[in-house]
Amino acid sequence: MNGPLSGLNVVDFSKFLPGPYCTWMLGNLGADIIRVENPRELAKQAQVFGWDKLDDDARADLRARDIYARNKRSLVIDPGHADARPVIAALVAKADILVEDYRPGVMDSMGYGAAAMLDLNPRLVYASVTLCGQTGPYRDKPGHDPVALAIAGALSRIGEDPAKPSFPGVPVADLLSGSNAVIGILSAIIARGVTGRGQHVDVAMSDASLALIASTLSRNPDLSKAPGRGKRRADSGIWETADGRFITTTDMEPRYWQRFCVAVGRPDFAGLQMDVSRRTEIADTLAGIFRSKTLAEWLDILAAADTQFAPVHDLPAALSDPHNRARRMVFDVPLPGGGTAPHIGLPIRLSDTPAAPPRPAAPAGGDSDTILAGIGLSPTDIQSLRDKGALSARQGS
């Protein structure tokens, strides 16, 4: 068995980050993911990122480095071509799950909408991941991660500058909605075991982003009095050290705050944790204290005190962190031209049914013949599809 979802077949029409993250999780849990890649979309993507100027070897190297393409197979086919329709219909008829991230109505216009596909395969779980969902006044709104965060009010809470919000710097709404899609899909699979029927899973990035403000709502019945953006506590912070590095501390529990105050040489601060009038003074004093020693020195001091802290890693440091390596959350995969590239592991651990072994992605279209043979097409049939322009040859990316 190669993962707990081994035996589930997924047809993946997704292009942007939430959908590919969803199918990446499913694939790493053992599902068979077939990416239906539109050659026109691949060409547009190559132009946007400059990949059209690379040779096939360089593009194959990029595809193997693509973490969210791992454990997926690629079929490069034009979904709008008349000769492609029976092929896609055959794939969907065998599938357990379909994932798409087009704007509402686009899949319908191509003939692959939820109603049509559920008629074709009543056991299908059809998942749509969009900015604002399949219903509501913003249904047709285009946009990416920051737009979803803005609609949900979450963007207004991000950043240290009290004068204006900031981008988070990582795709928060994308990955949260991709995770929600996995939860929705697996919930629908469980429901199918009872009802025998599939269903449409509607995941909106704006919905997912609203969950990010739930704790603020719960703790502040009067939102007009909710604390503003940025740091509001003296018992946690990001501090610059003498060597220009950064360390973060989160000693909010009283016992940790007391240990911390002793460790930094200010035991007199221990009883002032909740004194709002002293917070600015305490924070300014701590900033000066942290600038007096190097990061390495502070790591030793706070470790000995058993407080809550971590160095603020840059990306190379995070990839080499021994804990991340020991957890197999960072590991190296072989590249087609030699050498290796770092990949991120699946952030889920199952004791009895571990994740599927990592399989770097082949070039776009590199699995087309195998996929089509799996639905009964002969080599002659496959070549005919290529001759008619429905099926593209293997591409570097």
Side-chain angles (χ1 to χ4, degrees), residues 301-320:
I301 290 168
L302 297 181
D306 192 26
T307 65
Q308 300 180 7
F309 68 94
V312 178
H313 283 332
D314 60 15
L315 299 186
L319 294 178
S320 62

Side-chain angles (χ1 to χ4, degrees), residues 35-376:
R35 300 178 70 183
V36 177
E37 302 197 78
N38 189 323
R40 291 187 298 277
E41 295 289 341
L42 287 172
K44 285 193 293 186
Q45 184 185 59
Q47 288 180 334
V48 168
F49 293 104
W51 299 338
D52 54 334
K53 299 177 178 63
L54 302 177
D55 62 26
D56 284 350
D57 288 342
R59 294 172 77 180
D61 181 90
L62 276 175
R63 178 57 74 106
R65 291 176 182 273
D66 185 349
I67 292 168
Y68 294 140
R70 190 177 74 227
N71 286 38
K72 301 178 184 181
R73 297 192 289 157
S74 170
L75 170 66
V76 178
I77 194 167
D78 181 355
H81 196 289
D83 290 289
R85 294 187 179 280
V87 172
I88 294 175
L91 289 172
V92 174
K94 291 180 57 178
D96 297 283
I97 301 159
L98 184 152
V99 178
E100 60 93 8
D101 59 5
Y102 286 89
R103 287 169 67 181
V106 173
M107 288 289 281
D108 288 291
S109 70
M110 293 193 293
Y112 307 115
M117 296 299 94
L118 284 165
D119 281 345
L120 172 66
N121 179 356
R123 290 179 55 80
L124 182 70
V125 172
Y126 187 111
S128 299
V129 186
T130 57
L131 180 73
C132 290
Q134 302 296 306
T135 60
Y138 297 162
R139 173 183 184 269
D140 298 317
K141 187 176 182 61
H144 292 289
D145 190 289
V147 175
L149 293 173
I151 291 168
L155 194 62
S156 74
R157 309 290 301 168
I158 296 173
E160 287 293 310
D161 186 344
K164 66 176 184 178
S166 303
F167 283 168
V170 289
V172 178
D174 284 335
L175 300 194
L176 184 55
S177 38
S179 295
N180 284 358
V182 173
I183 295 168
I185 287 167
L186 296 183
S187 298
I189 291 291
I190 292 171
R192 187 181 72 178
V194 177
T195 67
R197 301 188 306 276
Q199 58 185 296
H200 191 188
V201 177
D202 174 9
V203 174
M205 293 168 63
S206 58
D207 295 350
S209 300
L210 276 160
L212 297 171
I213 67 167
S215 61
T216 302
L217 296 183
S218 300
R219 295 170 184 171
N220 298 280
D222 183 353
L223 289 178
S224 68
K225 297 179 181 178
R229 189 171 39 252
K231 181 174 175 291
R232 286 294 181 272
R233 301 183 65 102
D235 51 18
S236 59
I238 299 173
W239 315 103
E240 186 175 6
T241 59
D243 50 349
R245 306 285 295 281
F246 291 91
I247 188 170
T248 187
T249 61
T250 61
D251 297 289
M252 290 180 283
E253 294 91 342
R255 71 182 187 278
Y256 283 107
W257 173 245
Q258 290 166 12
R259 293 178 197 170
F260 171 83
C261 292
V262 172
V264 300
R266 292 303 303 258
D268 54 310
F269 285 164
L272 303 177
Q273 181 179 14
M274 305 310 294
D275 188 340
V276 176
S277 68
R278 302 288 296 276
R279 282 182 179 174
T280 299
E281 171 198 345
I282 293 171
D284 290 344
T285 302
L286 291 176
I289 290 172
F290 273 97
R291 283 194 293 267
S292 70
K293 298 181 186 298
T294 66
L295 176 64
E297 289 174 311
W298 282 119
L299 294 178
D300 288 342
I301 290 168
L302 297 181
D306 192 26
T307 65
Q308 300 180 7
F309 68 94
V312 178
H313 283 332
D314 60 15
L315 299 186
L319 294 178
S320 62
D321 186 289
H323 179 80
N324 295 337
R325 289 277 175 174
R327 293 275 296 171
R328 288 281 292 170
M329 280 306 300
V330 181
F331 56 88
D332 297 312
V333 299
L335 296 173
T340 62
H343 268 226
I344 302 300
L346 184 73
I348 296 170
R349 294 289 185 278
L350 299 176
S351 62
D352 292 344
T353 53
R359 188 181 67 250
D367 307 294
S368 293
D369 289 14
T370 303
I371 292 168
L372 296 178
I375 58 171

